[in-house]
Amino acid sequence: MEFNITLQGNIIFGKGTLSKVIELINHIGKITLIVTGKKSTKESGALSKLIDYLKDIGVNFVLFDKIEPNPTLEIVEEGGRVFLENGCNSIIAIGGGSSIDAAKGIGVYAIYKEVRPFLLGEKVVDRKIPSFIAIPTTSGTGSEVTKYSIITYNEKKLAIVSNFITPDYAILDPELTLSMTPNLVRDTGIDALSHALEGLFSLGASPISDIFGYEAVKIIYKYLPRSFAKKGDYEAREMMHFASCIAGVQISMSGTGIVHGMGYPLTIKYGFPHGFVNALLMPYVFKFELPSQYEKMAKITKILGFGIGNDYFDAEKFIEILIDFYRILEIPKNLKDLGVKESDLEIFADEVFKNERLKRICPRTLTFNDILNIYKNAYFGVI
Ligand code: NAP
Ligand code: FE
């Protein structure tokens, strides 16, 4: 056995833990930048609660509430300028993965006064960003514990990757997820599942990251349908918040894979939510990866209680389990019915093929035609 891992950040988990922000006063400083989206944290009351806690401990704040899904470089740079102009000492992100990812980028701007070269891989973040607390209100990305920031630039979703952008504190209060609609629960929950599965099958996986992956799959399989079906099911929402967090810890070690890479252009061009499009692609990608990862796929089938003992059959069964799971979650089967143009697939495949990092961690050698075939299978719904 051989591995080399880095674990980063503190995690505070539990009902009502939003109030724990008051115990972090030494990390916040005199003035903090609150980074959030345009609507949801105001409508749910999460933002006003946070502000009340900050007032209780005498912390001033500047509100940057312009984050939209798939945050752009422009908005991140604007947030960075607001941070510097107001002499902020720290950042508190409250919202979905988009707000937390944007806040990471804002932290990079606060140190280097630029973000673009880090996004393009021309420079590496080699210094700690300002003190950073992340408070997720969705259960999916795990961004509150990851070293990734996904930012849209020039119609592409690109990543800054650095341990120096991992939040210092993640406050996971499951109550903040109760306001999610069923579709948001589903789309974000499936993102967490895609992290757990891609993390398991990635060549970056290790025996430690796998522990988090198998556990996350087990929890999501049990609780996502419940969380999707019923808004007030606190236990299900709590377990999904836990699962997305541990899958985040996992992918910070293992990385994700081509499901994510192939999903990005579909999100940019057609606006499909990140997790939703990952869901659609997973069976087709995993069918391609099956010959090299059948033991792990078989192990998942066994963990979920469907194993018959033959690894190859059990691995095939894993794909069937996934498809059956999608029926409960009302996830469509193919890209064609969603209005995707077949002529786009070659353009998307070309973009994915140029991503060297994805090819490195893919468990099978990946050619342009492999990627195109996976897209075509997903397009026509051919497993
Ligand atoms: P999101 O884009 O942050 O939010 C989606 C929508 O959900 C927004 O309209 C938001 O509203 C709303 N929302 C958030 N919390 C809510 C709540 N509790 N109740 C009701 N509505 C709520 O969604 P996400 O799936 O969490 O994040 C996706 C982004 O994360 C993508 O850009 C993806 O690429 C990235 N990602 C990052 C990582 C990582 O490791 N960094 C991993 C996977 C994915 P408002 O805008 O009004 O807040
Ligand atoms: Fe994701």
Side-chain angles (χ1 to χ4, degrees):
M1 199 185 296
E2 215 179 305
F3 56 84
N4 183 349
I5 59 159
T6 307
L7 294 172
Q8 219 119 22
N10 300 276
I11 302 173
I12 299 171
F13 190 100
K15 196 174 191 169
T17 47
L18 178 59
S19 68
K20 297 275 182 192
V21 76
I22 61 179
E23 292 172 20
L24 303 179
I25 181 163
N26 292 337
H27 299 273
I28 300 174
K30 281 205 164 51
I31 175 158
T32 191
L33 184 76
I34 301 179
V35 178
T36 192
K38 289 188 167 163
K39 259 188 11 209
S40 70
T41 55
K42 289 174 196 135
E43 286 177 356
S44 69
L47 180 63
S48 57
K49 268 194 198 168
L50 171 66
I51 289 174
D52 286 346
Y53 290 131
L54 293 176
K55 283 182 180 159
D56 284 350
I57 53 173
V59 170
N60 293 312
F61 67 89
V62 176
L63 183 62
F64 189 68
D65 56 357
K66 294 187 175 178
I67 310 303
E68 291 182 347
N70 311 305
T72 60
L73 177 64
E74 290 73 28
I75 214 75
V76 167
E77 287 174 339
E78 187 184 330
R81 285 192 292 275
V82 171
F83 181 98
L84 292 174
E85 281 158 15
N86 288 281
C88 296
N89 315 110
S90 63
I91 302 172
I92 302 181
I94 183 163
S98 295
S99 292
I100 299 174
D101 280 1
K104 290 173 179 173
I106 290 171
V108 170
Y109 190 95
I111 299 293
Y112 299 96
K113 298 193 178 55
E114 59 181 1
V115 178
R116 203 171 63 113
F118 300 97
L119 209 48
L120 295 176
E122 294 164 2
K123 288 187 183 172
V124 175
V125 177
D126 56 3
R127 266 179 288 155
K128 170 85 187 62
I129 64 169
S131 201
F132 178 23
I133 299 168
I135 308 172
T137 60
T138 57
S139 305
T141 69
S143 180
E144 70 278 4
V145 292
T146 72
K147 60 181 177 185
Y148 309 113
S149 166
I150 313 294
I151 294 169
T152 302
Y153 174 60
N154 258 352
E155 307 282 290
K156 289 198 171 58
K157 280 173 84 89
L158 303 172
I160 304 172
V161 183
S162 168
N163 285 322
F164 292 107
I165 65 171
T166 305
D168 299 294
Y169 283 87
I171 297 181
L172 286 124
D173 181 346
E175 280 191 326
L176 305 183
T177 69
L178 291 173
S179 54
M180 281 198 287
T181 60
N183 281 0
L184 187 60
V185 166
R186 185 227 12 228
D187 297 343
T188 54
I190 281 283
D191 186 25
L193 182 66
S194 73
H195 296 162
L197 293 171
E198 286 222 279
L200 282 164
F201 307 146
S202 153
L203 289 185
S206 73
I208 295 205
S209 63
D210 285 357
I211 293 170
F212 291 92
Y214 288 122
E215 189 60 21
V217 172
K218 210 164 70 181
I219 296 171
I220 295 166
Y221 189 73
K222 179 167 176 191
Y223 289 101
L224 182 54
R226 261 175 63 180
S227 188
F228 174 63
K230 202 163 142 226
K231 220 176 168 184
D233 189 337
Y234 179 81
E235 187 195 7
R237 297 269 164 126
E238 178 182 58
M239 292 309 287
M240 282 306 300
H241 220 35
F242 174 66
S244 67
C245 174
I246 62 172
V249 173
Q250 175 199 7
I251 59 165
S252 255
M253 298 183 252
S254 64
T256 52
I258 53 172
V259 169
H260 272 71
M262 292 178 67
Y264 289 158
L266 283 158
T267 292
I268 293 296
K269 172 108 197 230
Y270 293 97
F272 300 132
H274 170 66
F276 175 82
V277 79
N278 283 358
L280 230 144
L281 292 166
M282 274 197 282
Y284 307 97
V285 169
F286 296 155
K287 183 78 187 186
F288 168 77
E289 293 178 349
L290 188 146
S292 57
Q293 287 297 359
Y294 67 93
E295 284 165 334
K296 282 189 166 177
M297 293 181 188
K299 184 166 171 177
I300 294 166
T301 301
K302 287 185 194 96
I303 286 173
L304 298 180
F306 298 101
I308 58 160
N310 174 308
D311 272 3
Y312 212 82
F313 283 127
D314 283 350
E316 294 274 359
K317 179 77 187 165
F318 157 74
I319 311 269
E320 284 171 33
I321 294 171
L322 203 55
I323 292 165
D324 286 345
F325 193 53
Y326 287 1
R327 276 192 206 109
I328 308 171
L329 296 171
E330 298 164 19
I331 292 169
K333 278 206 191 84
N334 62 63
L335 294 171
K336 193 176 174 192
D337 292 347
L338 292 173
V340 171
K341 280 198 251 142
E342 194 183 352
S343 55
D344 280 339
L345 302 181
E346 264 195 62
I347 304 164
F348 295 164
D350 190 53
E351 184 183 323
V352 178
F353 187 65
K354 286 187 182 130
N355 187 327
E356 291 302 322
R357 187 189 64 81
L358 285 179
K359 279 185 274 183
R360 258 199 321 276
I361 60 173
C362 183
R364 278 185 68 181
T365 310
L366 194 63
T367 64
F368 170 82
N369 278 332
D370 291 331
I371 301 169
L372 185 59
N373 282 337
I374 297 170
Y375 269 130
K376 283 196 171 158
N377 290 340
Y379 182 82
F380 291 110
V382 177
I383 293 288

